[in-house]
Amino acid sequence: MKWTREWLSLRYRFLASQLSNLDLQAPDPEDLTPLEEEDLLKDLRGDMTSSRYLGFFTRRGLINLVDHLGLIDRLRKRGFTPHLDLRTGDADRQLLRVYDGAEHVPSRLLVEAAARIDMIQVHTEPDKEPGRYRMLVIDWLLLQNPKAEFSGYRPRLPGQNYPGLRLGAEIGEIFILIAMRLHCDGVLATPQYYHNGVLYSRKLRCLEPERQGELWALERDLSSLSLAEQSWAIDMGCVEDTAGEIYRWPAPPMLFPFNEELADYISGKPYRERMTRARDTRFFQLDMDRFERSYEPL
């Protein structure tokens, strides 16, 4: 059954509300190593260097979450044997990986996310000091299907070794649920490539309104190309601004807010005016000769 993005969000939030903190911090039967006193103290403090993901979730707890949401069953029906792997030793780079099977090799990697909790400054009002907000920051997100092949229907995108997993909306909602459970003010994601920015913009907005306007200007001026072609054109340096400078994707941070001030910021008149001004004053052109020489579909 296909869900619209709004219904998916509502459904996931309802299902997640049925899980207690105890469900999300359940001990992992695969880990028989007894906790030392210092580990217990770290967990109580929410210390990111504890064995828990983002200082809160156990491995079993995350499995309980994605299983309750129906995601494990969906992966199994597609022929995968999902196996969750966590790397929580570095507070600035908490790694979550899902493999197809217990063999943790790149050719079996389905999901990889690098995330952290951080305090981020945001100028929500130009005449005031920036506010500091607790964010779930996603620095890197990879979703891929090693069993699929590229085709005219599913062309290769920049940065891809395999076609996408087609679970982007679901994984995005899971990280929103994680951030909400951790009482964050929002989720901040960094789209590494232009096509990520376009896909993220269905749910998120660039932290800087000028970057959001720039993204929409690119979509407007490259509309004769498919999304894959647009992303490759930018990645290969085939897009120029009106000054003749090659455009480079800046990987702008994009925000999904829970905090009322942040929500008002990205929906407010000052943000919209700056965004619209950037969209209406930025123009881009494709160097078609260079693009045709460089671009090889698939």
Side-chain angles (χ1 to χ4, degrees):
M1 181 177 182
K2 292 185 177 180
W3 298 86
T4 66
R5 195 168 294 267
E6 292 78 12
W7 277 109
L8 177 70
S9 178
L10 290 172
R11 177 172 177 266
Y12 271 23
R13 291 188 189 191
F14 170 73
L15 291 172
S17 70
Q18 298 174 337
L19 297 175
S20 69
N21 286 352
L22 290 177
D23 295 319
L24 301 175
Q25 296 177 323
D28 192 337
E30 294 184 14
D31 184 5
L32 301 180
T33 305
L35 284 174
E36 301 292 338
E37 181 179 359
E38 179 60 22
D39 291 321
L40 291 171
L41 290 174
K42 286 180 178 180
D43 283 342
L44 290 173
R45 294 194 302 264
D47 192 328
M48 297 303 171
T49 61
S50 75
S51 60
R52 294 184 180 184
Y53 183 64
L54 299 171
F56 183 89
F57 298 88
T58 61
R59 178 177 176 275
R60 170 51 55 185
L62 285 173
I63 292 173
N64 288 342
L65 174 61
V66 295
D67 188 30
H68 192 64
L69 297 177
L71 206 57
I72 291 179
D73 187 54
R74 287 185 62 184
L75 288 170
R76 286 173 176 161
K77 286 180 178 178
R78 291 168 62 175
F80 299 114
T81 305
H83 191 274
L84 180 66
D85 178 65
L86 297 177
R87 294 288 183 269
T88 61
D90 184 353
D92 293 328
R93 189 177 174 82
Q94 302 261 295
L95 289 176
L96 180 154
R97 296 187 178 104
V98 178
Y99 291 90
D100 179 23
E103 187 179 359
H104 295 177
V105 294
S107 61
R108 289 182 173 269
L109 182 65
L110 303 177
V111 178
E112 182 178 70
R116 55 191 164 90
I117 301 294
D118 206 351
M119 298 299 295
I120 303 297
Q121 288 190 344
V122 182
H123 274 95
T124 57
E125 297 184 45
D127 298 331
K128 292 186 178 180
E129 291 294 315
R132 287 173 56 82
Y133 301 92
R134 175 180 164 89
M135 298 280 195
L136 172 60
V137 181
I138 303 173
D139 292 312
W140 167 257
L141 179 61
L142 171 70
L143 307 175
Q144 63 181 18
N145 182 352
K147 295 183 178 181
E149 295 182 355
F150 294 111
S151 65
Y153 180 65
R154 299 185 68 183
R156 185 190 301 271
L157 294 166
Q160 286 190 329
N161 294 317
Y162 302 100
L165 195 57
R166 292 191 166 182
L167 290 174
E170 290 81 354
I171 299 299
E173 290 296 337
I174 287 173
F175 277 105
I176 287 173
L177 292 174
I178 287 173
M180 293 176 72
R181 187 64 66 126
L182 295 177
H183 305 290
C184 293
D185 293 312
V187 176
L188 201 66
T190 304
Q192 298 296 324
Y193 296 95
Y194 166 79
H195 61 270
N196 299 133
V198 172
L199 296 174
Y200 287 8
S201 67
R202 296 173 181 173
K203 187 85 175 181
L204 290 76
R205 288 291 178 266
C206 293
L207 198 58
E208 298 179 14
E210 288 77 13
R211 291 300 188 187
Q212 187 65 45
E214 181 181 284
L215 175 61
W216 284 352
L218 285 162
E219 289 189 81
R220 176 199 64 212
D221 294 344
L222 301 177
S223 60
S224 62
L225 304 178
S226 68
L227 179 59
E229 291 170 335
Q230 291 176 29
S231 198
W232 277 116
I234 291 172
D235 192 68
M236 296 185 301
C238 301
V239 175
E240 300 176 350
D241 60 21
T242 51
E245 297 292 330
I246 293 176
Y247 177 79
R248 301 296 183 188
W249 175 246
M254 301 184 74
L255 171 68
F256 183 83
F258 312 140
N259 176 282
E260 186 176 349
E261 289 180 358
L262 291 174
D264 289 344
Y265 164 63
I266 64 170
S267 63
K269 184 177 179 180
Y271 182 99
R272 288 185 281 110
E273 287 179 344
R274 291 166 60 189
M275 175 184 64
T276 302
R277 189 181 308 115
R279 181 197 64 193
D280 294 345
T281 57
R282 295 298 305 273
F283 296 95
F284 301 93
Q285 55 193 10
L286 174 69
D287 186 331
M288 182 59 74
D289 289 339
R290 186 189 306 168
F291 180 65
E292 290 180 343
R293 290 195 306 268
S294 305
Y295 180 55
E296 296 180 7
L298 308 185

PDB file of all heavy atoms in Angstrom, residues 235-260:
ATOM      1  N   ASP A 235      27.081  18.542 -11.216  1.00  0.00           N
ATOM      2  CA  ASP A 235      28.239  17.826 -10.702  1.00  0.00           C
ATOM      3  C   ASP A 235      29.425  17.892 -11.667  1.00  0.00           C
ATOM      4  O   ASP A 235      30.582  17.936 -11.231  1.00  0.00           O
ATOM      5  CB  ASP A 235      27.859  16.368 -10.444  1.00  0.00           C
ATOM      6  CG  ASP A 235      28.908  15.611  -9.648  1.00  0.00           C
ATOM      7  OD1 ASP A 235      29.087  15.921  -8.453  1.00  0.00           O
ATOM      8  OD2 ASP A 235      29.568  14.715 -10.220  1.00  0.00           O
ATOM      9  N   MET A 236      29.165  17.926 -12.960  1.00  0.00           N
ATOM     10  CA  MET A 236      30.232  17.943 -13.960  1.00  0.00           C
ATOM     11  C   MET A 236      30.660  19.352 -14.352  1.00  0.00           C
ATOM     12  O   MET A 236      31.486  19.523 -15.251  1.00  0.00           O
ATOM     13  CB  MET A 236      29.791  17.164 -15.205  1.00  0.00           C
ATOM     14  CG  MET A 236      29.559  15.680 -14.950  1.00  0.00           C
ATOM     15  SD  MET A 236      29.170  14.726 -16.451  1.00  0.00           S
ATOM     16  CE  MET A 236      27.698  15.557 -17.031  1.00  0.00           C
ATOM     17  N   GLY A 237      30.103  20.367 -13.707  1.00  0.00           N
ATOM     18  CA  GLY A 237      30.501  21.740 -13.998  1.00  0.00           C
ATOM     19  C   GLY A 237      29.971  22.264 -15.305  1.00  0.00           C
ATOM     20  O   GLY A 237      30.621  23.095 -15.963  1.00  0.00           O
ATOM     21  N   CYS A 238      28.766  21.831 -15.694  1.00  0.00           N
ATOM     22  CA  CYS A 238      28.177  22.261 -16.958  1.00  0.00           C
ATOM     23  C   CYS A 238      27.105  23.339 -16.784  1.00  0.00           C
ATOM     24  O   CYS A 238      26.437  23.707 -17.745  1.00  0.00           O
ATOM     25  CB  CYS A 238      27.561  21.061 -17.685  1.00  0.00           C
ATOM     26  SG  CYS A 238      28.735  19.744 -18.059  1.00  0.00           S
ATOM     27  N   VAL A 239      26.941  23.827 -15.565  1.00  0.00           N
ATOM     28  CA  VAL A 239      25.948  24.872 -15.294  1.00  0.00           C
ATOM     29  C   VAL A 239      26.684  26.137 -14.866  1.00  0.00           C
ATOM     30  O   VAL A 239      27.582  26.097 -14.020  1.00  0.00           O
ATOM     31  CB  VAL A 239      24.964  24.427 -14.188  1.00  0.00           C
ATOM     32  CG1 VAL A 239      24.001  25.555 -13.825  1.00  0.00           C
ATOM     33  CG2 VAL A 239      24.188  23.193 -14.653  1.00  0.00           C
ATOM     34  N   GLU A 240      26.303  27.264 -15.469  1.00  0.00           N
ATOM     35  CA  GLU A 240      26.943  28.547 -15.183  1.00  0.00           C
ATOM     36  C   GLU A 240      25.904  29.568 -14.739  1.00  0.00           C
ATOM     37  O   GLU A 240      24.726  29.460 -15.090  1.00  0.00           O
ATOM     38  CB  GLU A 240      27.653  29.074 -16.434  1.00  0.00           C
ATOM     39  CG  GLU A 240      28.745  28.154 -16.965  1.00  0.00           C
ATOM     40  CD  GLU A 240      29.332  28.682 -18.262  1.00  0.00           C
ATOM     41  OE1 GLU A 240      28.761  29.647 -18.826  1.00  0.00           O
ATOM     42  OE2 GLU A 240      30.353  28.130 -18.719  1.00  0.00           O
ATOM     43  N   ASP A 241      26.367  30.554 -13.954  1.00  0.00           N
ATOM     44  CA  ASP A 241      25.479  31.662 -13.616  1.00  0.00           C
ATOM     45  C   ASP A 241      25.608  32.737 -14.690  1.00  0.00           C
ATOM     46  O   ASP A 241      26.326  32.564 -15.682  1.00  0.00           O
ATOM     47  CB  ASP A 241      25.793  32.215 -12.224  1.00  0.00           C
ATOM     48  CG  ASP A 241      27.223  32.738 -12.093  1.00  0.00           C
ATOM     49  OD1 ASP A 241      27.858  33.041 -13.122  1.00  0.00           O
ATOM     50  OD2 ASP A 241      27.700  32.856 -10.945  1.00  0.00           O
ATOM     51  N   THR A 242      24.920  33.857 -14.523  1.00  0.00           N
ATOM     52  CA  THR A 242      24.904  34.887 -15.558  1.00  0.00           C
ATOM     53  C   THR A 242      26.253  35.579 -15.728  1.00  0.00           C
ATOM     54  O   THR A 242      26.496  36.219 -16.740  1.00  0.00           O
ATOM     55  CB  THR A 242      23.831  35.936 -15.232  1.00  0.00           C
ATOM     56  OG1 THR A 242      24.001  36.388 -13.874  1.00  0.00           O
ATOM     57  CG2 THR A 242      22.444  35.345 -15.384  1.00  0.00           C
ATOM     58  N   ALA A 243      27.142  35.420 -14.735  1.00  0.00           N
ATOM     59  CA  ALA A 243      28.483  35.993 -14.858  1.00  0.00           C
ATOM     60  C   ALA A 243      29.443  35.036 -15.558  1.00  0.00           C
ATOM     61  O   ALA A 243      30.614  35.356 -15.736  1.00  0.00           O
ATOM     62  CB  ALA A 243      29.027  36.351 -13.474  1.00  0.00           C
ATOM     63  N   GLY A 244      28.940  33.859 -15.946  1.00  0.00           N
ATOM     64  CA  GLY A 244      29.785  32.880 -16.621  1.00  0.00           C
ATOM     65  C   GLY A 244      30.584  32.011 -15.667  1.00  0.00           C
ATOM     66  O   GLY A 244      31.441  31.238 -16.104  1.00  0.00           O
ATOM     67  N   GLU A 245      30.304  32.124 -14.363  1.00  0.00           N
ATOM     68  CA  GLU A 245      31.004  31.300 -13.378  1.00  0.00           C
ATOM     69  C   GLU A 245      30.334  29.939 -13.264  1.00  0.00           C
ATOM     70  O   GLU A 245      29.104  29.830 -13.240  1.00  0.00           O
ATOM     71  CB  GLU A 245      30.990  31.984 -12.005  1.00  0.00           C
ATOM     72  CG  GLU A 245      31.724  33.311 -11.958  1.00  0.00           C
ATOM     73  CD  GLU A 245      33.231  33.142 -12.121  1.00  0.00           C
ATOM     74  OE1 GLU A 245      33.747  32.079 -11.700  1.00  0.00           O
ATOM     75  OE2 GLU A 245      33.868  34.062 -12.677  1.00  0.00           O
ATOM     76  N   ILE A 246      31.151  28.902 -13.192  1.00  0.00           N
ATOM     77  CA  ILE A 246      30.614  27.548 -13.029  1.00  0.00           C
ATOM     78  C   ILE A 246      29.965  27.421 -11.650  1.00  0.00           C
ATOM     79  O   ILE A 246      30.547  27.816 -10.643  1.00  0.00           O
ATOM     80  CB  ILE A 246      31.721  26.493 -13.203  1.00  0.00           C
ATOM     81  CG1 ILE A 246      32.220  26.493 -14.646  1.00  0.00           C
ATOM     82  CG2 ILE A 246      31.215  25.098 -12.824  1.00  0.00           C
ATOM     83  CD1 ILE A 246      33.377  25.543 -14.900  1.00  0.00           C
ATOM     84  N   TYR A 247      28.768  26.886 -11.634  1.00  0.00           N
ATOM     85  CA  TYR A 247      28.043  26.733 -10.378  1.00  0.00           C
ATOM     86  C   TYR A 247      28.459  25.443  -9.678  1.00  0.00           C
ATOM     87  O   TYR A 247      28.490  24.373 -10.292  1.00  0.00           O
ATOM     88  CB  TYR A 247      26.533  26.709 -10.633  1.00  0.00           C
ATOM     89  CG  TYR A 247      25.733  26.471  -9.372  1.00  0.00           C
ATOM     90  CD1 TYR A 247      25.507  27.503  -8.468  1.00  0.00           C
ATOM     91  CD2 TYR A 247      25.224  25.209  -9.072  1.00  0.00           C
ATOM     92  CE1 TYR A 247      24.787  27.294  -7.305  1.00  0.00           C
ATOM     93  CE2 TYR A 247      24.500  24.998  -7.909  1.00  0.00           C
ATOM     94  CZ  TYR A 247      24.287  26.031  -7.028  1.00  0.00           C
ATOM     95  OH  TYR A 247      23.584  25.818  -5.871  1.00  0.00           O
ATOM     96  N   ARG A 248      28.777  25.570  -8.402  1.00  0.00           N
ATOM     97  CA  ARG A 248      29.135  24.406  -7.581  1.00  0.00           C
ATOM     98  C   ARG A 248      28.092  24.241  -6.482  1.00  0.00           C
ATOM     99  O   ARG A 248      27.777  25.194  -5.784  1.00  0.00           O
ATOM    100  CB  ARG A 248      30.527  24.587  -6.952  1.00  0.00           C
ATOM    101  CG  ARG A 248      31.648  24.779  -7.967  1.00  0.00           C
ATOM    102  CD  ARG A 248      31.834  23.545  -8.832  1.00  0.00           C
ATOM    103  NE  ARG A 248      32.954  23.701  -9.766  1.00  0.00           N
ATOM    104  CZ  ARG A 248      33.232  22.838 -10.742  1.00  0.00           C
ATOM    105  NH1 ARG A 248      32.456  21.766 -10.920  1.00  0.00           N
ATOM    106  NH2 ARG A 248      34.252  23.049 -11.542  1.00  0.00           N
ATOM    107  N   TRP A 249      27.569  23.042  -6.335  1.00  0.00           N
ATOM    108  CA  TRP A 249      26.556  22.783  -5.321  1.00  0.00           C
ATOM    109  C   TRP A 249      27.144  22.997  -3.927  1.00  0.00           C
ATOM    110  O   TRP A 249      28.136  22.389  -3.566  1.00  0.00           O
ATOM    111  CB  TRP A 249      26.048  21.353  -5.461  1.00  0.00           C
ATOM    112  CG  TRP A 249      25.076  20.919  -4.403  1.00  0.00           C
ATOM    113  CD1 TRP A 249      25.264  19.972  -3.452  1.00  0.00           C
ATOM    114  CD2 TRP A 249      23.755  21.435  -4.205  1.00  0.00           C
ATOM    115  NE1 TRP A 249      24.144  19.849  -2.665  1.00  0.00           N
ATOM    116  CE2 TRP A 249      23.195  20.748  -3.095  1.00  0.00           C
ATOM    117  CE3 TRP A 249      22.991  22.418  -4.837  1.00  0.00           C
ATOM    118  CZ2 TRP A 249      21.911  20.997  -2.632  1.00  0.00           C
ATOM    119  CZ3 TRP A 249      21.709  22.667  -4.369  1.00  0.00           C
ATOM    120  CH2 TRP A 249      21.177  21.966  -3.276  1.00  0.00           C
ATOM    121  N   PRO A 250      26.528  23.864  -3.105  1.00  0.00           N
ATOM    122  CA  PRO A 250      27.120  24.224  -1.810  1.00  0.00           C
ATOM    123  C   PRO A 250      26.744  23.305  -0.649  1.00  0.00           C
ATOM    124  O   PRO A 250      27.201  23.515   0.468  1.00  0.00           O
ATOM    125  CB  PRO A 250      26.558  25.624  -1.570  1.00  0.00           C
ATOM    126  CG  PRO A 250      25.213  25.594  -2.228  1.00  0.00           C
ATOM    127  CD  PRO A 250      25.370  24.712  -3.446  1.00  0.00           C
ATOM    128  N   ALA A 251      25.916  22.278  -0.901  1.00  0.00           N
ATOM    129  CA  ALA A 251      25.455  21.375   0.160  1.00  0.00           C
ATOM    130  C   ALA A 251      24.892  22.165   1.343  1.00  0.00           C
ATOM    131  O   ALA A 251      25.387  22.076   2.471  1.00  0.00           O
ATOM    132  CB  ALA A 251      26.572  20.440   0.619  1.00  0.00           C
ATOM    133  N   PRO A 252      23.828  22.945   1.119  1.00  0.00           N
ATOM    134  CA  PRO A 252      23.303  23.809   2.183  1.00  0.00           C
ATOM    135  C   PRO A 252      22.535  23.006   3.232  1.00  0.00           C
ATOM    136  O   PRO A 252      21.747  22.114   2.887  1.00  0.00           O
ATOM    137  CB  PRO A 252      22.351  24.742   1.427  1.00  0.00           C
ATOM    138  CG  PRO A 252      21.871  23.912   0.271  1.00  0.00           C
ATOM    139  CD  PRO A 252      23.037  23.058  -0.129  1.00  0.00           C
ATOM    140  N   PRO A 253      22.720  23.290   4.518  1.00  0.00           N
ATOM    141  CA  PRO A 253      21.935  22.625   5.556  1.00  0.00           C
ATOM    142  C   PRO A 253      20.451  22.901   5.345  1.00  0.00           C
ATOM    143  O   PRO A 253      20.056  24.027   5.041  1.00  0.00           O
ATOM    144  CB  PRO A 253      22.449  23.252   6.852  1.00  0.00           C
ATOM    145  CG  PRO A 253      23.784  23.823   6.515  1.00  0.00           C
ATOM    146  CD  PRO A 253      23.702  24.234   5.088  1.00  0.00           C
ATOM    147  N   MET A 254      19.629  21.854   5.535  1.00  0.00           N
ATOM    148  CA  MET A 254      18.187  21.972   5.350  1.00  0.00           C
ATOM    149  C   MET A 254      17.485  21.559   6.638  1.00  0.00           C
ATOM    150  O   MET A 254      17.903  20.613   7.309  1.00  0.00           O
ATOM    151  CB  MET A 254      17.722  21.139   4.155  1.00  0.00           C
ATOM    152  CG  MET A 254      18.392  21.544   2.853  1.00  0.00           C
ATOM    153  SD  MET A 254      17.773  20.662   1.393  1.00  0.00           S
ATOM    154  CE  MET A 254      16.168  21.455   1.164  1.00  0.00           C
ATOM    155  N   LEU A 255      16.404  22.261   6.948  1.00  0.00           N
ATOM    156  CA  LEU A 255      15.784  22.178   8.267  1.00  0.00           C
ATOM    157  C   LEU A 255      14.367  21.631   8.204  1.00  0.00           C
ATOM    158  O   LEU A 255      13.567  22.014   7.349  1.00  0.00           O
ATOM    159  CB  LEU A 255      15.757  23.582   8.889  1.00  0.00           C
ATOM    160  CG  LEU A 255      14.963  23.777  10.185  1.00  0.00           C
ATOM    161  CD1 LEU A 255      15.632  23.043  11.340  1.00  0.00           C
ATOM    162  CD2 LEU A 255      14.833  25.266  10.500  1.00  0.00           C
ATOM    163  N   PHE A 256      14.068  20.735   9.177  1.00  0.00           N
ATOM    164  CA  PHE A 256      12.684  20.376   9.491  1.00  0.00           C
ATOM    165  C   PHE A 256      12.475  20.728  10.960  1.00  0.00           C
ATOM    166  O   PHE A 256      13.057  20.089  11.843  1.00  0.00           O
ATOM    167  CB  PHE A 256      12.405  18.892   9.263  1.00  0.00           C
ATOM    168  CG  PHE A 256      10.962  18.524   9.524  1.00  0.00           C
ATOM    169  CD1 PHE A 256      10.009  18.710   8.537  1.00  0.00           C
ATOM    170  CD2 PHE A 256      10.567  18.026  10.747  1.00  0.00           C
ATOM    171  CE1 PHE A 256       8.678  18.395   8.771  1.00  0.00           C
ATOM    172  CE2 PHE A 256       9.240  17.716  10.992  1.00  0.00           C
ATOM    173  CZ  PHE A 256       8.288  17.894   9.994  1.00  0.00           C
ATOM    174  N   PRO A 257      11.679  21.755  11.252  1.00  0.00           N
ATOM    175  CA  PRO A 257      11.594  22.261  12.630  1.00  0.00           C
ATOM    176  C   PRO A 257      10.468  21.628  13.442  1.00  0.00           C
ATOM    177  O   PRO A 257       9.410  21.294  12.913  1.00  0.00           O
ATOM    178  CB  PRO A 257      11.325  23.747  12.418  1.00  0.00           C
ATOM    179  CG  PRO A 257      10.472  23.774  11.177  1.00  0.00           C
ATOM    180  CD  PRO A 257      10.966  22.635  10.308  1.00  0.00           C
ATOM    181  N   PHE A 258      10.721  21.484  14.754  1.00  0.00           N
ATOM    182  CA  PHE A 258       9.663  21.200  15.722  1.00  0.00           C
ATOM    183  C   PHE A 258       9.410  22.451  16.570  1.00  0.00           C
ATOM    184  O   PHE A 258       8.294  22.730  16.954  1.00  0.00           O
ATOM    185  CB  PHE A 258      10.051  20.055  16.664  1.00  0.00           C
ATOM    186  CG  PHE A 258      10.590  18.838  15.977  1.00  0.00           C
ATOM    187  CD1 PHE A 258      11.651  18.134  16.505  1.00  0.00           C
ATOM    188  CD2 PHE A 258      10.032  18.378  14.797  1.00  0.00           C
ATOM    189  CE1 PHE A 258      12.151  17.008  15.883  1.00  0.00           C
ATOM    190  CE2 PHE A 258      10.516  17.249  14.162  1.00  0.00           C
ATOM    191  CZ  PHE A 258      11.585  16.564  14.709  1.00  0.00           C
ATOM    192  N   ASN A 259      10.494  23.153  16.850  1.00  0.00           N
ATOM    193  CA  ASN A 259      10.434  24.355  17.672  1.00  0.00           C
ATOM    194  C   ASN A 259       9.574  25.422  16.984  1.00  0.00           C
ATOM    195  O   ASN A 259       9.689  25.660  15.780  1.00  0.00           O
ATOM    196  CB  ASN A 259      11.860  24.866  17.892  1.00  0.00           C
ATOM    197  CG  ASN A 259      11.925  26.161  18.658  1.00  0.00           C
ATOM    198  OD1 ASN A 259      11.676  27.219  18.090  1.00  0.00           O
ATOM    199  ND2 ASN A 259      12.242  26.084  19.946  1.00  0.00           N
ATOM    200  N   GLU A 260       8.703  26.086  17.758  1.00  0.00           N
ATOM    201  CA  GLU A 260       7.780  27.063  17.186  1.00  0.00           C
ATOM    202  C   GLU A 260       8.508  28.242  16.563  1.00  0.00           C
ATOM    203  O   GLU A 260       8.108  28.737  15.492  1.00  0.00           O
ATOM    204  CB  GLU A 260       6.821  27.555  18.274  1.00  0.00           C
ATOM    205  CG  GLU A 260       5.728  28.469  17.760  1.00  0.00           C
ATOM    206  CD  GLU A 260       4.728  28.859  18.827  1.00  0.00           C
ATOM    207  OE1 GLU A 260       4.768  28.256  19.921  1.00  0.00           O
ATOM    208  OE2 GLU A 260       3.916  29.769  18.568  1.00  0.00           O
TER     209      GLU A 260
END
